[in-house]
Amino acid sequence: MRIMIINGPNLNLLGVREPHIYGSTTLEAIKSACEAFAALAGAQLSFHQSNHEGVLVDLIQSARSDADAIIINPAGYSFTSVAMFDALKIFDGPIYEVHISNIHARDELHRHSKLSAAVKGVIAGLGPYGYIVAMQAVLQGAGKLPEAWPEAVRVGPQ
Ligand code: CA2
């Protein structure tokens, strides 16, 4: 299973600015943890960040040939980007939207993601661990969690 993780604008500053909202974990630390989880779960991972909407659209389009699933934290573009919405709509595989903070508990500007209508699931408010949960959800949904993992994790409630 090839998973592409895409991060939007300003997330390169994670852990450096506004730790009271976004915590003290850097994007590099999130990348390392996602790589460790991918290795454990037997998945392939590519991890990206860009501050540019067009580059993010190109990445989403490239996932059509390079990935089986997308995990995206669109950051500020969540609330504005029709171009990213359109690109996500033409991806065939599962897409999970991740937000480190609970966007539903934020101010009006940060509350309604335009992109959520184009994704399978939204994970918000779990901090950086949300990325790991999203990877687990992708693999569980595809029946690709390792056989050796406990049924409660691999299958969940039936
Ligand atoms: O909680 C999230 O993951 C967000 O997508 C982060 C976005 C925000 O616009 C969304 O409402 C929720 C902002 C990312 C900005 O990242 C910064 C990191 C450090 C310092 C300043 C901004």
Side-chain angles (χ1 to χ4, degrees):
M1 190 86 187
R2 299 165 303 163
I3 302 175
M4 182 180 286
I5 299 186
I6 301 173
N7 292 282
N10 298 308
L11 289 168
N12 53 313
L13 296 180
L14 275 180
V16 181
R17 302 289 306 274
E18 298 192 325
H20 56 291
I21 306 177
Y22 302 115
S24 56
T25 307
T26 62
L27 193 62
E28 203 47 47
I30 292 174
K31 180 182 179 191
S32 296
C34 289
E35 285 170 351
F37 186 82
L40 264 180
Q44 283 178 40
L45 177 68
S46 64
F47 194 97
H48 309 269
Q49 189 274 331
S50 177
N51 293 328
H52 306 283
E53 188 175 17
V55 173
L56 294 163
V57 169
D58 286 343
L59 280 166
I60 295 166
Q61 287 189 11
S62 75
R64 297 175 67 229
S65 55
D66 299 349
D68 303 305
I70 294 175
I71 294 169
I72 186 161
N73 183 346
Y77 287 134
S78 310
F79 315 104
T80 63
S81 183
V82 175
M84 286 173 67
F85 178 86
D86 291 343
L88 290 169
K89 284 293 275 186
I90 53 178
F91 181 73
D92 286 333
I95 305 169
Y96 288 89
E97 179 179 349
V98 170
H99 295 282
I100 292 165
S101 61
N102 177 3
I103 58 171
H104 306 290
R106 301 280 306 276
D107 53 285
E108 190 54 44
L109 183 71
H110 289 96
R111 202 169 290 167
H112 183 73
S113 169
K114 276 192 172 21
L115 303 190
S116 299
V119 307
K120 183 170 180 188
V122 182
I123 295 159
L126 303 190
Y129 194 73
Y131 288 83
I132 304 297
V133 172
M135 290 179 74
Q136 186 175 329
V138 163
L139 295 168
Q140 196 276 336
K144 293 274 170 66
L145 284 172
E147 283 289 318
W149 290 20
E151 194 173 296
V153 176
R154 223 170 13 85
V155 184
Q158 304 185 69

